[in-house]
Amino acid sequence: MPPPGGFQPLKYKRNLPVRGPGALTILAGVLAVSGYGFYRLAQGNLEKRQAQPAELAREKVWSRIHLVPLLLAEGDRDAYRRQQAALEREKEIMKDVQGWVPGQSVYHKPKPTDQTIVVL
């Protein structure tokens, strides 16, 4: 039998604290950051459009001209490093073969061939 006056009420509601900003606050922040980004993009496009096109084109051409020797030297260093690594691998692999000369071509062709690798 239940006690006189009935049972005490059960606490069934969850007591969860509010954690972090609300959805509208996050949405407002995302819209503000996106709006600022689009504003900066539009300002850059206007600046590019209003600047003298010949000056920007000349600057781009000269920057590429000045970068060419650097890029060629970097490619040469990389090709040399790869060639030396391949020679070391060949020495290690063919160390037990009689009469094998590491780095010597297996073809009887006096004309040297280009060993560069082009990655497209």
Side-chain angles (χ1 to χ4, degrees), residues 43-59:
Q43 292 298 320
N45 288 341
L46 283 175
E47 180 183 344
K48 195 184 303 183
R49 190 179 311 136
Q50 291 172 354
Q52 294 89 5
E55 182 182 340
L56 289 176
R58 182 180 55 82
E59 183 179 344

Side-chain angles (χ1 to χ4, degrees), residues 2 12 26 33 40 49 55 62 72 94 108 110 117 119:
Y12 62 89
I26 293 174
V33 169
R40 294 287 300 191
R49 190 179 311 136
E55 182 182 340
W62 277 104
L72 287 175
M94 302 300 284
H108 302 292
I117 299 171
V119 179

Side-chain angles (χ1 to χ4, degrees), residues 2-68:
F7 293 108
Q8 291 187 0
L10 295 175
K11 296 180 183 177
Y12 62 89
K13 290 192 175 192
R14 296 175 66 180
N15 185 13
L16 297 176
V18 177
R19 299 175 62 101
L24 290 178
T25 307
I26 293 174
L27 179 64
V30 167
L31 289 177
V33 169
S34 298
Y36 180 71
F38 280 119
Y39 169 75
R40 294 287 300 191
L41 178 70
Q43 292 298 320
N45 288 341
L46 283 175
E47 180 183 344
K48 195 184 303 183
R49 190 179 311 136
Q50 291 172 354
Q52 294 89 5
E55 182 182 340
L56 289 176
R58 182 180 55 82
E59 183 179 344
K60 187 184 290 186
V61 166
W62 277 104
S63 66
R64 289 180 181 173
I65 287 172
H66 290 300
L67 280 177
V68 165

